[in-house]
């Protein structure tokens, strides 16, 4: 699609979704939010897609935030709708039944950090800069930043990043638990694709069970979460992949998972 703000590329079970507005540092306008929502719907439904990598085009930015030009003149109700539009898309990503890795290739600011945080794993280039700078615009995070940063990195980090608006480097983001790994910028794509390929070859129904348990468990009391985990654990015994995985271990061979 010539006008799409996204590039989509399938590589051996891994779908790479690239936000492609490099001249605007991949800022999230409404069209991009909607295109992302549709792209994640499609990735969820496509049987050949086993893992997803989300990144930004160009050498500078993952995503430098929600589109400030689009937001500048919004009225209150429009502002709320813009927030809900972004939140809905990001919740879709968070609850996707397939693993999503954010490949953070540069600035992940505001909506960019919010987008990275709704992904299941985050790998950052050592050159990346990460923050919630909305305060500098007289705004607050509106795509889930206050809530996901709090849950991901705790109250101290959430308050520091949101109140000061000052970006942090990738190493500090890793120390705070915001990103899983930091790699040299030159290795970012290779390392991310290696991880994504590994996930794409894992048992898809078990991956889904883990994602569901962690999503449900993160939002419920431990007793309910444990009960849900036990039910999902039991369900795994109904899959052919579980029989294959355990048999392959006992027969000292590599398992072949078939999503059944
Ligand atoms: N929304 C809309 N446009 C954005 C943008 C955003 N969040 N972030 C960058 N851009 C645009 C710039 O307006 C500029 O467009 P132009 O060339 O048409 O003027 C282009 O992207 C390049 O950005 P520029 O600011 O010139 O790059 P830089 O290297 O000097 O600075 C940043 C990079 C990331 C520090 C700076 O762009 C920035 O602070 N962006 C906003 C970050 C932010 O506040 N995000 C939260 C939004 S809620």
């Amino acid at each position: 699609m010539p006008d799409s703000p996204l590039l989509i590329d399938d590589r051996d079970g891994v779908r790479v979704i690239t936000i492609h507005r490099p001249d605007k540092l991949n800022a999230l306008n409404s069209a991009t939010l909607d295109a992302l929502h549709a792209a994640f719907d499609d990735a969820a439904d496509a049987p050949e897609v086993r893992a997803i990598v989300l990144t930004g085009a160009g050498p500078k930015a993952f995503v430098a935030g929600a589109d400030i030009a689009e937001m500048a003149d919004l009225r209150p109700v429009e502002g709320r709708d813009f927030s809900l539009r972004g939140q809905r898309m990001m919740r879709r990503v968070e609850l996707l039944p397939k693993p999503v890795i954010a490949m953070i290739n540069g600035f992940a600011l505001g909506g960019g950090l919010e987008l990275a945080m709704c992904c299941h794993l985050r790998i950052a280039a050592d050159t990346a800069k990460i923050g919630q700078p909305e305060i500098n615009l007289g705004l607050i995070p509106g795509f889930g930043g206050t809530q996901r940063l709090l849950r991901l990195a705790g109250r101290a980090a959430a308050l520091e990043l949101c109140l000061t608006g000052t970006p942090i480097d990738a190493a500090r983001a890793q120390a705070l638990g915001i990103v899983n790994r930091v790699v040299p910028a030159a290795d970012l794509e290779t390392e991310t694709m290696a991880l994504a390929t590994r996930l794409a070859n894992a048992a898809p129904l078990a991956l889904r069970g883990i994602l569901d348990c962690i999503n449900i468990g993160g939002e419920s009391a431990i007793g309910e979460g444990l009960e849900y985990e036990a039910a999902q654990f039991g369900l795994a015994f109904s899959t052919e992949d579980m029989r294959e995985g355990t048999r392959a271990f006992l027969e000292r061979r590599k398992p072949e998972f078939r999503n059944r």
Side-chain angles (χ1 to χ4, degrees):
M1 276 198 292
D3 289 340
S4 172
L6 304 181
L7 302 175
I8 294 181
D9 181 25
D10 282 349
R11 309 181 200 169
D12 295 331
V14 178
R15 177 160 292 179
V16 180
I17 300 176
T18 304
I19 301 167
H20 191 257
R21 297 185 73 208
D23 55 325
K24 297 292 174 193
L25 303 187
N26 306 315
L28 299 174
N29 59 7
S30 294
T32 308
L33 294 175
D34 290 350
L36 281 166
H37 203 135
F40 278 98
D41 280 346
D42 190 69
D45 291 344
E48 70 279 14
V49 175
R50 299 273 191 98
I52 296 126
V53 170
L54 177 63
T55 193
K60 249 176 108 169
F62 173 71
V63 167
D67 192 310
I68 298 170
E70 182 173 336
M71 287 191 300
D73 295 321
L74 295 184
R75 313 289 303 161
V77 172
E78 295 164 338
R80 181 174 177 273
D81 287 346
F82 188 62
S83 168
L84 290 173
R85 195 173 203 149
Q87 286 186 358
R88 267 196 304 270
M89 181 275 283
M90 294 188 192
R91 187 77 171 143
R92 178 73 175 111
V93 177
E94 185 167 62
L95 297 181
L96 212 80
K98 301 177 181 180
V100 184
I101 305 172
M103 180 164 88
I104 305 173
N105 53 312
F107 290 113
L109 300 175
L113 176 54
E114 290 168 312
L115 184 62
M117 287 194 295
C118 72
C119 297
H120 305 123
L121 295 168
R122 284 157 290 285
I123 304 190
D126 54 1
T127 50
K129 289 270 187 284
I130 287 168
Q132 294 287 167
E134 291 87 348
I135 187 69
N136 300 322
L137 304 168
L139 259 175
I140 74 166
F143 294 163
T146 59
Q147 301 308 299
R148 288 202 179 89
L149 195 51
L150 174 64
R151 286 163 174 77
L152 188 64
R155 196 175 160 87
L159 285 167
E160 180 188 323
L161 266 70
C162 296
L163 290 177
T164 68
T166 308
I168 57 175
D169 64 20
R172 178 127 198 274
Q174 185 178 28
L176 290 173
I178 297 172
V179 301
N180 297 88
R181 283 181 61 198
V182 178
V183 299
D187 301 337
L188 181 65
E189 186 166 345
T190 312
E191 294 283 338
T192 308
M193 288 308 293
L195 175 61
T197 302
R198 186 178 168 166
L199 294 174
N201 288 318
L205 296 167
L207 288 176
R208 181 178 187 161
I210 291 166
L211 291 170
D212 284 352
C213 283
I214 290 184
N215 279 323
I216 299 271
E219 292 170 16
S220 55
I222 187 158
E224 291 163 33
L226 288 171
E227 216 170 285
Y228 188 77
E229 183 191 77
Q232 289 288 318
F233 184 76
L235 193 61
F237 288 78
S238 69
T239 67
E240 287 177 24
D241 284 347
M242 177 269 167
R243 303 290 164 201
E244 164 65 8
T246 48
R247 242 176 247 136
F249 176 83
L250 295 172
E251 292 166 8
R252 296 181 180 277
R253 61 175 172 82
K254 253 185 94 175
E256 270 188 47
F257 295 119
R258 299 210 158 82
N259 198 14
R260 287 203 287 251

